[in-house]
Amino acid sequence: MTSAIMALLLAVFTFSAAIADEKDFLDTLSGNWHGSGQVRLNPGAMPLAVSCSLDSRADGAALNLDGACRAKVVFTRRIGVDLRASGTRYTRSYVGSRRCAARLVGIRTGDTLNLQIVWPDKGTGSRVASMRLASAGTGHMQIVTIEPHPQTGEKVITAKIELTRN
């Protein structure tokens, strides 16, 4: 019976430490951000220069990022990321494409969330892309999305945005 109690206590402390690690990481992504980069409206399009502003709030093992990117008068697009950590595994949703909201799933490695974006099947098959959300040093964040080109399958960076905390 003593070994069962010890195992339970060890599991509780290990789980608590994992939650604390994710909370500490997510806190590095919390705040008001501004920055710029390039976005392609689809993998075959030419990149457009954008400026972005985001508000990101961490609450324990959860992160909510909401904002917009603008390309002169060409377009303004809302960006939204809602994540919840369970250990180093992350799940929830992403808004930032004309397609619709997508499911996010992935893991954290070091200071980077490596996420898979899965858009729902709308009769043409589900679309899958990837997103890297990185805490790039104190007060810096980088968001990169990569999608396969629909004709060639070649991986194309569809967004690369560098942000600085206000």
Side-chain angles (χ1 to χ4, degrees):
M1 175 118 86
T2 306
S3 60
I5 292 171
M6 293 298 285
L8 179 61
L9 287 173
L10 180 61
V12 167
F13 288 130
T14 301
F15 183 71
S16 296
I19 290 173
D21 286 349
E22 295 316 300
K23 180 190 178 318
D24 290 346
F25 169 71
L26 292 174
D27 283 345
T28 69
L29 299 174
S30 192
N32 296 310
W33 301 84
H34 71 279
S36 61
Q38 293 190 334
V39 171
R40 294 173 190 261
L41 297 179
N42 64 61
M46 295 300 295
L48 298 169
V50 295
S51 62
C52 304
S53 58
L54 306 170
D55 182 32
S56 179
R57 297 289 167 238
D59 184 12
L63 178 73
N64 180 274
L65 185 147
D66 193 36
C69 289
R70 292 158 210 63
K72 297 184 183 177
V73 294
V74 177
F75 80 93
T76 296
R77 176 111 357 109
R78 177 179 176 260
I79 297 175
V81 172
D82 181 32
L83 289 171
R84 179 149 324 263
S86 178
T88 58
R89 182 172 165 78
Y90 284 77
T91 58
R92 283 292 208 228
S93 63
Y94 165 67
V95 175
S97 166
R98 292 178 294 168
R99 291 182 192 109
C100 60
R103 183 173 51 91
L104 287 174
V105 62
I107 61 169
R108 178 173 68 89
T109 304
D111 290 337
T112 302
L113 291 173
N114 295 296
L115 303 162
Q116 185 179 54
I117 306 168
V118 181
W119 284 278
D121 187 346
K122 299 277 186 176
T124 59
S126 63
R127 296 275 311 240
V128 177
S130 63
M131 175 188 289
R132 288 191 318 258
L133 182 60
S135 176
T138 305
H140 298 281
M141 179 180 7
Q142 182 185 64
I143 301 171
V144 177
T145 59
I146 300 169
E147 293 185 51
H149 190 281
Q151 281 80 39
T152 66
E154 179 182 338
K155 291 183 178 185
V156 176
I157 295 175
T158 51
K160 185 173 184 182
I161 303 165
E162 305 284 340
L163 300 151
T164 304
R165 186 180 283 118
N166 293 342

